[in-house]
Amino acid sequence: MLSRPDRYFFAVLALLLLVNLPAFAANEDAKADAKADAKDDATLTQLAERHKKLITQIQELRREYPSADLDRKKEIEEEFEGVRQELQANYERSVKVAAAVFKEDPTNGEAVDVLLGDYFQRNRYAEAAKVADAALKAGNASRLVLNVGGAANFAIHNFKRAQELLTRAKKEHLLVPQIDANYVELYDA
C-alpha cells in the first residue's frame, strides 16, 4: 500500500495529465499494423490538427445543447456521438503512427509526446519510462519527458531513476508545480 504522500503524488499527477494531455481512451492497438499506418499520408501534425477541430466541435455542441429545443437536442446527441467516434478513431490512429515514427526516429518530439501521454494514461508505466529514456538518450529533455519519465519510474518503483529525472527537471525549472509540491516532500526532506 502506498503512503499518503505517494497516493497524493499520483493523484495530483493524474489530474495534471488529464488537464494537459488530450483526454483519450483507446483500446490496445495491434503493433503489427503500425508500420502500414505510418505509410499513410497522415502525419502526427495533421492528426493533432484534426483532434483540435474535433474537440472544438464537441465544445460547440455542448454549448448549444442546453438552450436547444427537443428536436435539435436529438440532432446534437447524434452529432456528438459521431464526433466522439471520429475522435476515438483519430486518437487510435495517432498512437499507431506515433509508435511507428518513434521506432524509426526517437528524436521526434510529437511521437514522444503522444506515446508518453497514451502509456501514462493507460497505466503502462514501464513503457512510458522506456520512451522517456529513449527520448532523453536522443537529446529530448522536454518538460513532458522529464516529468512523465520521473513519475513513470516512480510508479514502477525505480525510485533512483525517478529522483534523477525529477531532480533534473527541478534544476532546469521544468518541474510541474503540482509534482514539485510532492517532490519536495519525497526527495528534499
Side-chain angles (χ1 to χ4, degrees):
M1 176 160 226
L2 293 174
S3 67
R4 174 170 289 221
D6 295 346
R7 287 192 310 256
Y8 181 71
F9 175 80
F10 280 111
V12 169
L13 182 63
L15 289 173
L16 174 70
L17 289 172
L18 288 174
V19 169
N20 291 328
L21 295 173
F24 296 117
N27 298 325
E28 286 294 317
D29 299 319
K31 291 182 181 180
D33 57 354
K35 276 193 174 184
D37 286 340
K39 291 179 184 175
D40 290 340
D41 59 358
T43 66
L44 286 175
T45 302
Q46 291 168 330
L47 291 166
E49 287 172 12
R50 182 67 187 141
H51 169 77
K52 288 177 187 175
K53 288 179 183 176
L54 292 168
I55 292 294
T56 300
Q57 281 182 271
I58 286 175
Q59 291 170 339
E60 289 170 1
L61 292 171
R62 284 184 175 165
R63 273 192 293 272
E64 182 183 353
Y65 190 82
S67 60
D69 62 29
L70 288 178
D71 290 336
R72 179 63 185 140
K73 281 187 178 186
K74 271 191 161 183
E75 291 172 7
I76 291 172
E77 290 167 3
E78 290 171 6
E79 283 180 57
F80 182 88
E81 183 57 24
V83 173
R84 187 199 63 75
Q85 288 177 2
E86 187 177 347
L87 184 63
Q88 177 69 28
N90 188 69
Y91 173 73
E92 291 172 5
R93 181 150 169 67
S94 295
V95 173
K96 287 180 181 180
V97 171
V101 169
F102 180 75
K103 187 175 181 179
E104 297 296 319
D105 179 16
T107 64
N108 186 300
E110 289 179 306
V112 168
D113 291 353
V114 169
L115 292 176
L116 285 175
D118 180 66
Y119 292 158
F120 197 87
Q121 287 178 355
R122 292 197 280 150
N123 301 329
R124 293 167 59 183
Y125 302 120
E127 289 170 280
K130 287 178 187 174
V131 169
D133 285 341
L136 287 164
K137 187 177 179 182
N140 180 353
S142 71
R143 182 179 199 162
L144 186 66
V145 169
L146 292 172
N147 284 278
V148 172
N153 276 286
F154 188 90
I156 60 173
H157 299 204
N158 187 351
F159 300 116
K160 183 179 178 186
R161 183 67 174 147
Q163 183 177 8
E164 291 170 6
L165 294 175
L166 296 174
T167 299
R168 181 175 175 185
K170 187 169 186 170
K171 285 180 182 174
E172 296 177 15
H173 305 287
L174 297 173
L175 192 61
V176 175
Q178 291 87 341
I179 292 176
D180 190 22
N182 294 299
Y183 170 75
V184 168
E185 193 174 310
L186 294 170
Y187 293 118
D188 288 346

